[in-house]
Amino acid sequence: MKLNREVYKDKVKACWIGKNIGGTIGGPYEGKREILDVKGFLTESGEPMPNDDLDLQLVWLHAVEKEGAKNITAEVLGEYWLSFIAAAPNEYGICQSNMRIGLTPPLSGELGNNLWKHSNGAWIRTEVWATLAPGMPDVAARYAIEDAKVDHGTGEGTYAAMFVAALESAAFALTDLRKLIEVGLSKIPADCRVYKTIKLLLTLHDEGKTAIEARNAIQKFNEDLGDGWFQAPSNVAFAMLGLLYGEGDFKKSMLAAVNCGDDTDCTAATVGSIFGIMHGTKGIPEDWKDHIGDRIITCCINMGVCFRRVKTCTELTEKVVRLAPVVVEQSRAERQVLFTEFTDGDTEIENDVFGKLSLPYGKSEESDEMRRSLAALKPNTFTAKCGSFTVIVSYDGSPEIVGGEKRYLTLKFINNVKAYGNQPFFVNAEVLLPDGCATDKPAFRVYLPHWTPFTEDCESDEVTIGLTMPDVPGATTTVYLRLRAEGKYAVHTVPVVFVTKA
């Protein structure tokens, strides 16, 4: 796909303006559970409301700028989170606490987070990934997964982020809303609640149900999640409801979402950003655009150690547009169905673009990054990139332990053949234990195959390590894996943290 630079820039700016409008209109009603009758702004002209939906994305953009797109992982984003994000409600606070005791994402988003890992903190901050990877929904979804894992683990919040990021990225190539929704659905499991809720919404819409009837049916469908409110499946559906029932009208779409109630700043802001990408600045009414102005007001960033943050939608747009060609180029894979090329000429969209955009997640490219992403999408599992290989570490359950307990770790290794060359090798491993801990496998050697038609995943066999916990463990018990690829000089140390049950 070829994307005209000015068209792209206009869509990016419309994304951020729409986001700011929605956050400001919906902000005063956040958390209200009744059906609303909002008709416009409560704020004064030129006074956008602060919104964490935008704040975290400014931090992520700073991370991309300083680390490079290839190095953006959940672990890196977790470190930036601890450095720059001060707010600690719900899943934000839980993940911060877990990371501070050494739990690596996605475990940071799992432990003690059974309620909030299905909530809204991640899908509301996906625009940065979509605008940096326009027309490349698998790339946007992959970054959204790394982001969401920090505070949502493998919960519905992460699937919601995949869905929205993919949809937003595809909106640079398509303007057909139903097709965009199908692109989003193609990236997530059909048995997850986000998928089922969006399918329910589409059925209700096609059956001629009113927006309020659809809203009530969605809330009823998900009433078993938490207390039935503030959860990702319903609120993503409320945003899609706004777009479907808004029938291509910006104001009507946004107000339809807000009037569903619940997480109103997030649903309206996402309606605004998606609409902006689809239709550009010309699709946003001038009076609402003028009312909101250009400023970005932050509320979650730790200003005491702050980087030079952007302060306007215009400045944010310029920064994204500057970084996007680098991100796209660094996301180039040897075998890739979709790739976006920026051009000063006309935008060119392939006739079969929908079929390519809507391939299942992981099927549009063959890359080391995609292999790692697919491997990490399961509970109680994290990955660590170790140069020429990646290790996948799976606990046999929650990382919580009691004294003297027998636990097991399962390890698998991926050969990073795209970066380091298509050659097999061995990894030598040692298991380093704290006092009082024992293992049945203190050292081992594992073979990593290269790519062949018979070993397309480039993965080792699984290795299971038995561990006996100390009789009287401390607050945390850390086992270290010391790993080195034979023939390489680098030694990698991977901490595996267990937390003692209260």
Side-chain angles (χ1 to χ4, degrees), residues 12-149:
V12 173
K13 186 168 186 179
C15 168
W16 300 125
I17 292 172
K19 186 83 170 174
N20 226 7
I21 290 173
T24 301
I25 281 187
Y29 310 97
E30 182 180 10
K32 291 189 176 295
R33 299 183 174 189
E34 65 269 24
I35 295 168
L36 303 171
D37 188 26
V38 178
K39 300 193 185 303
F41 294 98
L42 283 185
T43 57
E44 296 294 327
S45 180
E47 294 295 328
M49 288 187 68
N51 197 335
D52 61 296
D53 304 27
L54 262 175
D55 284 10
L56 273 71
Q57 299 191 70
L58 304 185
V59 176
W60 297 162
L61 196 61
H62 176 64
V64 172
E65 186 175 41
K66 298 304 180 185
E67 303 289 338
K70 279 284 188 183
N71 296 315
I72 295 300
T73 64
E75 293 77 21
V76 169
L77 294 177
E79 292 287 355
Y80 274 76
W81 190 309
L82 292 175
S83 295
F84 295 113
I85 297 170
N90 307 332
E91 63 264 43
Y92 290 7
I94 292 168
C95 81
Q96 287 173 1
S97 296
N98 284 335
M99 286 189 288
R100 286 181 179 128
I101 63 171
L103 286 176
T104 303
L107 301 173
S108 58
E110 292 278 350
L111 185 64
N113 200 24
N114 287 336
L115 172 60
W116 298 110
K117 70 180 182 181
H118 304 309
S119 191
N120 300 315
W123 65 268
I124 63 176
R125 58 181 195 247
T126 53
E127 289 84 6
V128 64
W129 309 124
T131 55
L132 288 172
M136 300 172 70
D138 276 43
V139 174
R142 189 174 74 233
Y143 284 122
I145 292 169
E146 296 302 309
D147 173 358
K149 286 192 305 188

Side-chain angles (χ1 to χ4, degrees), residues 150-164:
V150 179
D151 56 336
H152 292 82
T154 55
E156 291 289 335
T158 296
Y159 294 128
M162 294 174 68
F163 171 83
V164 177

Side-chain angles (χ1 to χ4, degrees), residues 179-223:
K179 288 184 176 180
L180 289 174
I181 291 173
E182 290 301 325
V183 170
L185 290 173
S186 73
K187 309 306 175 186
I188 62 177
D191 60 352
C192 77
R193 188 66 68 90
V194 174
Y195 185 101
K196 292 178 180 178
T197 306
I198 298 300
K199 294 295 281 188
L200 171 63
L201 168 65
L202 296 175
T203 298
L204 294 167
H205 181 263
D206 292 346
E207 289 176 350
K209 303 296 185 185
T210 67
I212 297 303
E213 288 173 331
R215 177 265 191 198
N216 290 339
I218 289 165
Q219 197 282 319
K220 179 72 173 174
F221 183 67
N222 291 317
E223 64 182 358

Side-chain angles (χ1 to χ4, degrees), residues 118-433:
H118 304 309
S119 191
N120 300 315
W123 65 268
I124 63 176
R125 58 181 195 247
T126 53
E127 289 84 6
V128 64
W129 309 124
T131 55
L132 288 172
M136 300 172 70
D138 276 43
V139 174
R142 189 174 74 233
Y143 284 122
I145 292 169
E146 296 302 309
D147 173 358
K149 286 192 305 188
V150 179
D151 56 336
H152 292 82
T154 55
E156 291 289 335
T158 296
Y159 294 128
M162 294 174 68
F163 171 83
V164 177
L167 188 158
E168 290 166 338
S169 174
F172 283 94
L174 296 173
T175 56
D176 184 314
L177 178 60
R178 291 298 287 258
K179 288 184 176 180
L180 289 174
I181 291 173
E182 290 301 325
V183 170
L185 290 173
S186 73
K187 309 306 175 186
I188 62 177
D191 60 352
C192 77
R193 188 66 68 90
V194 174
Y195 185 101
K196 292 178 180 178
T197 306
I198 298 300
K199 294 295 281 188
L200 171 63
L201 168 65
L202 296 175
T203 298
L204 294 167
H205 181 263
D206 292 346
E207 289 176 350
K209 303 296 185 185
T210 67
I212 297 303
E213 288 173 331
R215 177 265 191 198
N216 290 339
I218 289 165
Q219 197 282 319
K220 179 72 173 174
F221 183 67
N222 291 317
E223 64 182 358
D224 62 319
L225 286 178
D227 65 353
W229 300 92
F230 231 69
Q231 302 296 313
S234 291
N235 280 279
V236 171
F238 293 160
M240 296 303 107
L241 180 153
L243 291 165
L244 285 166
Y245 285 87
E247 299 175 320
D249 181 278
F250 184 88
K251 292 183 180 181
K252 185 177 177 182
S253 298
M254 187 166 288
L255 294 177
V258 171
N259 288 327
C260 290
D262 209 359
D263 202 353
T264 50
D265 63 323
C266 297
T267 55
T270 299
V271 167
S273 62
I274 292 172
F275 201 102
I277 296 172
M278 290 172 68
H279 301 290
T281 55
K282 69 180 184 301
I284 301 177
E286 290 295 330
D287 57 337
W288 279 19
K289 199 186 306 180
D290 292 342
H291 185 95
I292 204 71
D294 198 34
R295 289 195 305 153
I296 294 173
I297 308 298
T298 61
C299 61
C300 294
I301 298 174
N302 183 350
M303 303 303 293
V305 295
C306 190
F307 52 91
R308 185 185 176 277
R309 62 179 180 84
V310 299
K311 298 179 180 179
T312 66
C313 291
T314 298
E315 189 181 352
L316 178 55
T317 299
E318 294 289 347
K319 194 168 188 176
V320 169
V321 169
R322 186 175 70 251
L323 288 173
V326 179
V327 174
V328 167
E329 183 58 35
Q330 289 191 352
S331 301
R332 186 190 290 270
E334 290 181 18
R335 299 184 183 182
Q336 195 163 36
V337 173
L338 290 163
F339 187 79
T340 297
E341 178 184 342
F342 296 100
T343 178
D344 292 324
D346 293 338
T347 294
E348 297 179 15
I349 309 293
E350 299 97 324
N351 291 332
D352 61 345
V353 70
F354 172 66
K356 294 178 178 179
L357 292 168
S358 58
L359 287 171
Y361 182 65
K363 297 299 184 183
S364 72
E365 66 174 86
E366 184 180 303
S367 66
D368 296 335
E369 291 78 14
M370 184 57 75
R371 287 194 183 95
R372 287 195 293 273
S373 180
L374 292 169
L377 283 174
K378 54 184 179 180
N380 302 310
T381 296
F382 71 92
T383 65
K385 184 180 177 183
C386 302
S388 58
F389 63 93
T390 294
V391 60
I392 307 164
V393 181
S394 297
Y395 295 72
D396 60 344
S398 165
E400 289 186 301
I401 59 167
V402 296
E405 185 178 12
K406 183 78 172 181
R407 296 297 302 269
Y408 294 92
L409 296 175
T410 300
L411 309 184
K412 183 177 280 191
F413 297 81
I414 302 175
N415 189 340
N416 293 333
V417 296
K418 296 300 181 183
Y420 287 83
N422 192 30
Q423 52 189 332
F425 56 90
F426 285 87
V427 170
N428 292 320
E430 297 176 79
V431 181
L432 308 181
L433 303 172

